Amino acid sequence: MNTSRRNVVVTGAESGIGAACAKIFGEAGDHVAILYHSDGTGAEASAEAVRQAGGEAITIQCSVDDEASVEAAFTQAETARGPASVLVNSAGINMSGIPVREMELKIWTRMLATDLTGAFLTSRRFLRAIPGPGAIVHISSIHAEAVRAGGADYCSAKGGLTNLVRTLAIEEAPNNVRINAIEPGMILTPMNARAIDDIAYRKSLEANIPMKRAGRPEEVAYLARWLASNEAAYVTGASIVMDGGLSLLQGVGA
Ligand SMILES: NC(=O)c1ccc[n+]([C@@H]2O[C@H](COP(=O)([O-])OP(=O)(O)OC[C@H]3O[C@@H](n4cnc5c(N)ncnc54)[C@H](O)[C@@H]3O)[C@@H](O)[C@H]2O)c1
C-alpha cells in the first residue's frame, strides 16, 4: 500500500482520539474524510488541523449506528475523492456505569449500536468499495478484556469488537486488507472531561497507572498511523493494548 496521499476515512473525527488520528494522517499528506456526529463545529476544527498539518480534508455528517447514514457518508467521500484505502473507526460512547439489574434496554441497545454495530456498518461499507490493499484500525478499549462493574454495555460492545476484528482479519487477508484494533487505557479526551477539568481527580486516577500518567490522543493516533502503514504489513487481527501498564494490574490487590 502506498503510504503517501491515501484516502482515509476517520469516524468520530471531530473529537478526542478521532480528531488526533485525522491530524496525524494529515501530517502524512493524506486526504482525510472527517466523519462527525454532532453539530460540525469540532469537525471544522479537525479539518483545519489536517490542512495545517499538510493534508486535505472534507467534513461529512455520519451516524455510525445508522445504515443509511453510513452509506450516504461513504458515497459522499467517494464522490469527492474516490474510494478510501484506510478506515479509522473511533466513534464511540462511554460506559453507562449502570449495573445490569438496573440497566434499561435502550441504554444497552444504544451502546451496542454505536460501538459494535457501528464498527460493522463502517467496515462493511469501506470493504465494499476498497479497490485494493488497505487497512482498518478500530479504536477499542482495555475494557474489551478488563471488565468493570457498571460497564456491561461497554465491555460487551468492545469485547464483541475484538472478535469482529479477528473474523474480518481472516476474511480479508486474501485481499491484503488488514484489520486491527487499539485498546487504549485512560486517554485525556472529552470522554474523560472530568479528568481534564479536575486536576485532583485526574491525579487520583493516574496514581493507579504504572506510568503515573494518562495517555494523550496523539499517542493513540501514532499507533493507528503505524498500523495503517506498510511498516505493519504483516500485522492483522491484533488488538494492541496502549495503557501505560494499567491492565497489567488486574490481579493485584487481593
Ligand atoms: N478516552 C479514553 O480514555 C478511551 C479509552 C479507551 C477507549 N476509548 C475509545 O476511543 C474512541 C474515541 O473516544 P474519545 O476518547 O476520543 O471520546 P470522544 O467523546 O472525544 O469522541 C467520541 C466520538 O464519537 C462520536 N460519536 C458518538 N456517537 C456516535 C454515533 N452514533 N455516530 C457517529 N459518531 C459518534 C462523537 O461525536 C465523538 O466525535 C471510543 O470508541 C472510545 O470507546 C477511549
Side-chain angles (χ1 to χ4, degrees):
M1 189 171 61
N2 185 350
T3 53
S4 64
R5 292 281 165 199
R6 298 165 300 185
N7 286 340
V8 178
V9 174
V10 183
T11 75
E14 80 263 48
S15 179
I17 294 169
C21 288
K23 182 180 159 204
I24 296 300
F25 279 92
E27 283 180 3
D30 291 330
H31 302 293
V32 185
I34 296 186
L35 270 49
Y36 66 93
H37 186 240
S38 52
D39 65 5
T41 311
E44 283 310 320
S46 289
E48 189 50 33
V50 169
R51 293 179 195 119
Q52 291 285 335
E56 294 185 26
I58 53 170
T59 60
I60 303 171
Q61 207 283 336
C62 179
S63 298
V64 297
D65 53 303
D66 180 326
E67 185 177 23
S69 178
V70 170
E71 174 63 33
F74 275 78
T75 299
Q76 191 178 333
E78 287 158 9
T79 301
R81 290 280 175 207
S85 62
V86 176
L87 166 65
V88 179
N89 177 43
S90 189
I93 53 176
N94 205 356
M95 67 178 66
S96 64
I98 302 170
V100 171
R101 281 189 187 209
E102 294 155 25
M103 191 184 294
E104 291 180 41
L105 177 59
K106 67 181 181 191
I107 300 288
W108 171 267
T109 304
R110 178 169 176 248
M111 174 62 75
L112 271 287
T114 308
D115 283 48
L116 184 55
T117 305
F120 162 78
L121 289 172
T122 54
S123 297
R124 187 183 67 173
R125 182 58 182 79
F126 169 81
L127 291 167
R128 285 178 172 173
I130 193 167
I136 302 175
V137 181
H138 290 292
I139 309 302
S140 181
S141 166
I142 55 168
H143 295 300
E145 299 173 45
V147 296
R148 177 183 283 188
D153 49 358
Y154 189 76
C155 299
S156 299
K158 297 299 195 187
L161 180 56
T162 303
N163 275 339
L164 175 62
V165 165
R166 287 153 51 92
T167 308
L168 278 172
I170 55 171
E171 289 180 0
E172 293 299 325
N175 303 322
N176 203 12
V177 181
R178 298 177 299 99
I179 294 91
N180 294 290
I182 301 173
E183 296 183 349
M186 179 187 176
I187 309 296
L188 293 175
T189 72
M191 195 173 276
N192 279 319
R194 188 178 163 202
I196 294 173
D197 298 339
D198 181 343
I199 300 297
Y201 173 71
R202 171 167 147 192
K203 289 202 175 305
S204 74
L205 299 182
E206 289 178 326
N208 298 316
I209 300 171
M211 292 188 76
K212 301 300 177 201
R213 69 170 180 88
R216 293 182 294 110
E218 291 76 15
E219 292 174 312
V220 181
Y222 288 128
L223 179 53
R225 185 170 70 182
W226 180 78
L227 282 169
S229 77
N230 274 337
E231 292 179 2
Y234 205 50
V235 182
T236 196
S239 291
I240 301 177
V241 171
M242 177 184 266
D243 68 349
L246 177 61
S247 59
L248 300 175
L249 300 178
Q250 281 181 79
V252 175

